[in-house]
Amino acid sequence: MLKIVLVGRPNVGKSTLFNRLVRSDKAIVNNKPGVTRDRKYGRASLVDLNFILIDTAGIEDSFEAKTVNQSKSQTLFALEDAQIIIFVIDGRVGVLPVEKMFAKSLIKTNKSTIVLVNKSEGGNGLVGLSDSATLGFDHVIPFSAEHGEGLSDLYDYIKDLIEFENKETHKINNLNTHKKKSSLRIGIVGRPNTGKSTLINNIIGHKRLVTGVEAGITRDSIEVSWNYKNNPISIIDTAGLRRKSKVINNLEKDMVNDTLRTIKFSDICILLVDASKGIDKQDLSIARMIIGEGRGLIIGANMWDKVIDRNTIKDEIFNQFKISLFQIKKISIIFLSGLQSQGIEELFENALDIKKRLSIRISTGKLNRWLTPIVEDNPPPLYKGKKNNIRYITQVNVRPPTFVVFLSSPDNLQSSYKRFLAASLMKDFNLFGLPLRIMYRKGKNPYTDK
């Protein structure tokens, strides 16, 4: 089984993360640094991923020196034993010199490495996110081991790296076995009785899910495997999401939590709405929830076969989502009929396109060559007569594409200019329809010497 090792300074939250993924209190957690001394192994799982997780002692300034210290020897052994490394840093403290030095030794191992910026909840936890660019790794995740924030991003990265490791193993062993593609996870969500189960039954070609005219038949999230043009897809049917004020019994609360979990661990969510009845406030609330999780979003305007004045209804739907979901430009809206199997091909062509663009990574050089003329032609407005210099931009994450802009005074950058930068970035790099994230930080170019 694949092995993943947790490394980092003392007291950055490695053991807390270990316990969360292993689902036990196997590792002692305490605010006192250096509690973990040996390496601990545990069988961990994250959604459908299973692996061996190794907790290690904290790194120190003398880590690279020859030493007989048993804790350091255990950590070195764990690094050799594992195929994937999770390098945990404290987001509230930022990157320290010992971590920069340790990062260089990790790069030399030539192993897949994820930088986990732990304790990132709240504004103070974002210091490490901007500093993390100096470590030299592509995969950076803002995280909270205590609260479970960032688990969906960690799942995405580990899934990709496991597939990469498997591919490399096949190469080494000179196997001719065809590598199976990873499944695209698509959650079908929406209000009760919008036709989710009926749509899935017609997609896969048989009655896999129970359907009926009454609302609330589906209770558990049910995953169905399917194949679209040689692309394996996992389609997840979910319970309908009613307004929070109407959810009163424990059963429905559990159903809602199950649906929210599906949203969190899906690659793309298809929000199914009843086009024949128009858009409800709850539809917009669910859409914002999906965007907030950074998942790809497609609006499925279902029951299109029941609509009579199609041009008018189509314009109304486009306008409502354009106004209410202004943070996403040109959102994908597919008009379909689950009952009559209309629009299904267009639905999945859009899903494959969004999956590909969610993982887009733009080099730092290309981003800054783009930024320079943008700022020169349209400089930020003055604040109290002073210039607000935009110095640098870099991408720190994918799924969704996440960027950090460094400037002299982020607190004083007008919202209108932020919207201008986001719109320009979407247009010039074809990021339309994606839940783009742009953070603004005070500071200089992180790749230059201070």
Side-chain angles (χ1 to χ4, degrees):
M1 187 178 289
L2 189 89
K3 294 177 182 176
I4 300 177
V5 62
L6 300 173
V7 296
R9 290 189 299 106
N11 213 31
V12 294
K14 299 188 297 297
S15 295
T16 302
L17 176 60
F18 179 89
N19 286 341
R20 178 174 285 278
L21 294 179
V22 175
R23 291 184 173 84
S24 75
D25 296 326
K26 194 172 182 179
I28 298 173
V29 178
N30 193 283
N31 288 330
K32 181 180 178 181
V35 171
T36 303
R37 293 180 177 178
D38 203 342
R39 67 183 192 276
K40 295 182 179 67
Y41 287 74
R43 287 184 174 271
S45 62
L46 189 56
V47 192
D48 58 343
L49 304 179
N50 297 290
F51 49 90
I52 300 295
L53 190 62
I54 313 171
D55 190 19
T56 64
I59 59 172
E60 298 175 8
D61 292 320
S62 59
F63 189 87
E64 289 189 310
K66 289 184 179 180
T67 177
V68 294
N69 185 289
Q70 293 185 25
S71 294
K72 295 173 184 177
S73 298
Q74 293 289 337
T75 301
L76 287 172
F77 186 90
L79 282 169
E80 293 177 3
D81 194 26
Q83 290 81 42
I84 295 174
I85 301 168
I86 297 179
F87 185 14
V88 185
I89 68 172
D90 189 331
R92 297 175 182 176
V93 176
V95 176
L96 299 185
V98 65
E99 290 169 321
K100 290 185 179 180
M101 185 182 302
F102 186 61
K104 292 179 181 178
S105 65
L106 291 182
I107 291 172
K108 291 177 182 178
T109 67
N110 201 30
K111 292 186 177 183
S112 301
T113 302
I114 300 170
V115 177
L116 216 61
V117 186
N118 195 29
K119 306 179 185 179
S120 287
E121 64 273 21
N124 294 331
L126 295 173
V127 176
L129 185 60
S130 56
D131 287 353
S132 62
T134 63
L135 295 173
F137 299 103
D138 291 332
H139 305 311
V140 180
I141 302 174
F143 199 83
S144 171
E146 185 174 353
H147 299 99
E149 297 176 7
L151 279 173
S152 57
D153 291 329
L154 182 61
Y155 167 82
D156 290 338
Y157 277 133
I158 292 178
K159 184 178 180 181
D160 283 349
L161 292 177
I162 286 176
E163 289 160 4
F164 174 78
E165 293 294 336
N166 289 339
K167 184 177 180 181
E168 292 301 302
T169 301
H170 279 242
K171 286 181 180 179
I172 293 172
N173 295 330
N174 196 27
L175 295 178
N176 294 321
T177 306
H178 177 67
K179 179 68 177 70
K180 185 179 179 181
K181 293 182 181 179
S182 61
S183 291
L184 169 61
R185 292 178 59 84
I186 297 180
I188 310 292
V189 299
R191 291 184 291 120
N193 220 24
T194 53
K196 298 183 289 295
S197 300
T198 299
L199 173 64
I200 295 174
N201 284 341
N202 280 278
I203 287 172
I204 63 178
H206 65 274
K207 193 172 182 179
R208 167 65 176 80
L209 305 168
V210 179
T211 60
V213 294
E214 63 272 26
I217 290 178
T218 301
R219 291 184 172 179
D220 296 313
S221 293
I222 300 173
E223 189 166 339
V224 179
S225 297
W226 187 60
N227 194 289
Y228 176 74
K229 295 184 177 179
N230 294 322
N231 292 287
I233 294 175
S234 293
I235 309 173
I236 305 105
D237 188 23
T238 63
L241 289 172
R242 296 201 297 165
R243 294 183 185 179
K244 191 174 182 180
S245 60
K246 294 184 178 182
V247 179
I248 53 175
N249 62 64
N250 290 332
L251 174 59
E252 191 166 4
K253 287 178 181 178
D254 290 341
M255 290 159 55
V256 168
N257 289 334
D258 204 22
T259 299
L260 297 180
R261 175 181 168 85
T262 295
I263 292 174
K264 195 168 187 177
F265 290 103
S266 293
D267 297 308
I268 293 169
C269 290
I270 296 173
L271 172 56
L272 220 58
V273 301
D274 187 340
S276 66
K277 295 180 180 178
I279 305 302
D280 186 89
K281 287 184 179 180
Q282 179 67 355
D283 295 324
L284 301 174
S285 296
I286 298 171
R288 294 189 190 100
M289 193 186 307
I290 295 168
I291 294 169
E293 288 292 343
R295 305 298 93 181
L297 172 63
I298 298 174
I299 307 298
N302 195 25
M303 305 186 189
W304 194 237
D305 52 302
K306 295 182 180 180
V307 176
I308 298 173
D309 190 357
R310 294 189 173 186
N311 290 332
T312 301
I313 298 299
K314 183 177 288 189
D315 289 341
E316 288 178 358
I317 291 175
F318 272 117
N319 289 333
Q320 279 186 281
F321 280 108
K322 182 179 180 180
I323 294 170
S324 301
L325 305 180
F326 59 87
Q327 61 270 57
I328 293 187
K329 305 295 182 183
K330 296 184 181 179
I331 190 169
S332 293
I333 302 177
I334 310 299
F335 298 88
L336 54 90
S337 170
L339 187 63
Q340 298 184 4
S341 301
Q342 295 175 358
I344 290 176
E345 183 173 356
E346 185 181 1
L347 191 67
F348 283 95
E349 288 295 332
N350 270 262
L352 293 174
D353 174 63
I354 289 176
K355 182 197 177 188
K356 180 180 179 181
R357 292 189 297 116
L358 275 171
S359 301
I360 190 171
R361 184 169 290 280
I362 307 168
S363 70
T364 299
K366 190 173 183 179
L367 281 170
N368 284 280
R369 286 192 295 273
W370 164 82
L371 181 65
T372 300
I374 291 286
V375 175
E376 287 178 352
D377 295 341
N378 298 278
L382 299 177
Y383 180 77
K384 293 183 178 180
K386 294 183 180 179
K387 287 184 177 180
N388 197 352
N389 294 319
I390 296 181
R391 299 182 172 119
Y392 190 77
I393 183 173
T394 188
Q395 185 175 356
V396 296
N397 212 340
V398 295
R399 284 182 291 190
T402 304
F403 305 87
V404 176
V405 176
F406 298 90
L407 64 163
S408 55
S409 184
D411 293 337
N412 299 322
L413 186 65
Q414 288 86 341
S415 298
S416 58
Y417 196 80
K418 291 179 181 179
R419 290 194 296 271
F420 161 72
L421 278 182
S424 300
L425 195 61
M426 288 181 189
K427 178 183 177 182
D428 294 337
F429 292 102
N430 189 26
L431 302 176
F432 288 120
L434 305 182
L436 202 66
R437 291 177 179 173
I438 305 177
M439 296 175 286
Y440 296 87
R441 299 286 175 263
K442 183 179 177 64
K444 298 179 180 180
N445 183 336
Y447 284 92
T448 61
D449 294 329
K450 297 180 180 179

